[in-house]
Amino acid sequence: MQWSLGIEHQFGSSASVRAQYVGTRALNQPYLTQVNGYQTVCDGCFAPFPYLQPTDPRFGAVTQFSTGASSHYNGLQLTASKRLSHGLQGQIN
C-alpha cells in the first residue's frame, strides 16, 4: 500500500514551496533465513550468528524461505523552487 498528500504554494511568479507526506506499508512479504548461517565480518556484530563457524558444522548452508515480514515508511518531503533568469531554475529538496 502506498499513499501521499501534498500541498504547494507559489510566491510571486518565480518561486514555490511544496510539502508532501509519503507513506507505504507492506504485509506478509517473503524473506530468507540462513538456519545454519554464520558470519565472517566481526565477532558479535551479527548476533545470534556465530563468528567464523556454523551453528552445526555437520551441515552446510541451509536457507529457509518464509513469509510474514512487514515494513512501514513515513516521510516528509520538502521542496523549494525558484526560476532564475535566462531559463535557469534552482531547486532545494
Side-chain angles (χ1 to χ4, degrees):
M1 295 176 272
Q2 184 176 355
W3 55 89
S4 66
L5 173 67
I7 187 167
E8 186 170 356
H9 184 73
Q10 186 168 344
F11 297 97
S13 62
S14 64
S16 67
V17 174
R18 178 179 176 91
Q20 183 171 2
Y21 163 75
V22 178
T24 63
R25 181 176 181 197
L27 300 172
N28 296 322
Q29 295 295 298
Y31 64 96
L32 298 175
T33 305
Q34 295 294 332
V35 180
N36 197 37
Y38 65 97
Q39 54 94 12
T40 59
V41 178
C42 67
D43 194 10
C45 289
F46 297 99
F49 292 117
Y51 181 61
L52 292 180
Q53 62 185 20
T55 306
D56 189 339
R58 296 175 298 163
F59 302 100
V62 178
T63 303
Q64 178 178 331
F65 181 78
S66 303
T67 58
S70 301
S71 70
H72 300 272
Y73 172 78
N74 295 293
L76 176 64
Q77 301 173 346
L78 302 173
T79 303
S81 300
K82 172 84 170 143
R83 283 189 294 278
L84 306 170
S85 60
H86 304 292
L88 296 175
Q89 178 174 331
Q91 184 171 356
I92 296 173
N93 292 313

